[in-house]
Amino acid sequence: QLITSASSNLSSPTVIATGPTVVLASATAGAELLDVPIPGTAQRYLGFQYTTVGTFSGAGTVNAHIVAETDNQPYITSNTGL
């Protein structure tokens, strides 16, 4: 979940976007789980929170990044760039 909060420790967060539920046993490396624009109503601090589903006994990590832009926006052929 992409969350926002007025507090730097993200206490009392507001969820602004939710990705799919992925069972740990079927998680794949490099999967993109959430790619959404950040709404203008977001509070000062942004973060992610995860809820795990299933059991996992191996090693692994989850990486999350908040970026300024992504490349998967639709191309509009009538866009002149002006």
Side-chain angles (χ1 to χ4, degrees):
Q1 294 176 323
L2 177 61
I3 59 173
T4 186
S5 177
S7 177
S8 63
N9 67 359
L10 298 172
S11 61
S12 302
T14 300
V15 175
I16 55 177
T18 301
T21 298
V22 178
V23 177
L24 290 174
S26 62
T28 57
E32 185 176 283
L33 301 178
L34 187 63
D35 185 359
V36 296
I38 296 170
T41 57
Q43 296 173 358
R44 181 173 182 182
Y45 298 99
L46 293 169
F48 293 99
Q49 66 184 11
Y50 306 96
T51 303
T52 57
V53 177
T55 57
F56 183 70
S57 59
T61 60
V62 174
N63 295 311
H65 306 280
I66 297 174
V67 297
E69 298 177 13
T70 61
D71 291 334
N72 66 352
Q73 301 302 316
Y75 178 74
I76 302 170
T77 58
S78 63
N79 185 358
T80 62
L82 299 176

